[in-house]
């Protein structure tokens, strides 16, 4: 690789992580390189910096474009295609989440819906369907939550993520307030003339 030690460490790590996330190692490296590059890069630049074949780079760029993770740029007086990533890391996160939902969650929900509509043949299938219904309900709930969260402005989303475990404390306070309200409600009804 024709990269500084710092850049090389990041690119190599992203390649390793990419293979764990279900993408080709080279695709992960291409993305990492484009993410840290100060200027958009063409395929020839990527080949030179990563030391991989031109065909590997072309296939990797196509895959990243299919995931909507790279942006195509054209530079004046240069006919080659140049690539970069969005500047906003939150936009990258949103794109990744949306693409994974489309490719993994939505098909799973469709299969579960189809299976749950079938009439079980025996007690074993009834049990299996009941378990699948639980899974379907959880995935539906997560999908609804995701749909709500993705509409949040970046500042609010960052604030929500920053809350972490403090959300539990907020929910506990809410539960106490609701409990107090329930305790007072019968008293108020009983005191009415």
């Amino acid at each position: 690789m024709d990269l500084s030690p710092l850049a090389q460490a990041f690119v190599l790590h992203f390649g390793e992580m990419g293979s764990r996330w279900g993408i080709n190692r080279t695709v992960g490296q291409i993305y990492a390189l484009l993410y840290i590059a100060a200027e958009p890069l063409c395929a020839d630049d990527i080949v030179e910096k990563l030391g991989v074949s031109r065909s590997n780079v072309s296939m990797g760029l196509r895959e990243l474009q299919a995931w909507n993770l790279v942006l195509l740029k054209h530079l004046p007086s240069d006919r080659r295609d140049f690539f970069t990533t969005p500047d906003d890391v939150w936009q990258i996160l949103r794109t990744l989440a949306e693409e994974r939902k489309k490719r993994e969650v939505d098909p799973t929900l469709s299969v579960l819906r189809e299976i749950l509509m079938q009439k079980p043949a025996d007690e074993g299938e009834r049990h299996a369907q009941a378990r699948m219904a639980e899974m379907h309900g959880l995935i539906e709930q997560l999908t609804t939550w995701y749909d709500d969260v993705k509409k949040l402005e970046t500042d609010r989303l960052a604030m929500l993520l920053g809350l972490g475990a403090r959300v539990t404390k907020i929910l506990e306070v809410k539960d106490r307030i609701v409990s107090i309200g329930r305790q007072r409600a019968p008293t108020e009804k009983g005191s009415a003339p």
Side-chain angles (χ1 to χ4, degrees), residues 111-129:
V111 168
L112 284 171
R113 281 187 202 108
E114 287 176 22
I115 292 172
L116 291 172
M117 291 178 68
Q118 296 175 17
K119 184 175 173 56
D122 56 30
E123 189 55 40
E125 283 193 356
R126 267 188 286 287
H127 174 76
Q129 269 190 330

Side-chain angles (χ1 to χ4, degrees), residues 2-74:
D2 182 24
L3 298 169
S4 72
L6 182 130
Q8 185 171 340
F10 179 73
V11 168
L12 288 173
H13 175 73
F14 234 77
E16 289 296 320
M17 292 309 297
S19 63
R20 293 181 184 148
W21 296 328
I23 62 170
N24 177 297
R25 178 188 316 255
T26 304
V27 173
Q29 291 177 347
I30 292 168
Y31 189 78
L33 177 64
L34 291 172
Y35 180 77
I36 63 173
E39 300 292 328
L41 301 175
C42 68
D44 294 332
D45 296 334
I46 298 168
V47 167
E48 179 184 324
K49 290 188 180 297
L50 295 182
V52 296
S53 72
R54 179 74 156 85
S55 62
N56 247 356
V57 169
S58 294
M59 288 188 307
L61 288 170
R62 274 196 299 277
E63 185 170 342
L64 290 168
Q65 286 176 302
W67 278 81
N68 295 312
L69 289 172
V70 294
L71 306 170
L72 179 64
K73 298 279 184 181
H74 291 102

Side-chain angles (χ1 to χ4, degrees), residues 140-153:
E140 279 282 338
Q141 191 171 14
L142 286 170
T143 301
T144 301
W145 174 83
Y146 167 75
D147 287 339
D148 291 342
V149 168
K150 77 179 182 184
K151 295 173 191 169
L152 294 175
E153 296 172 8

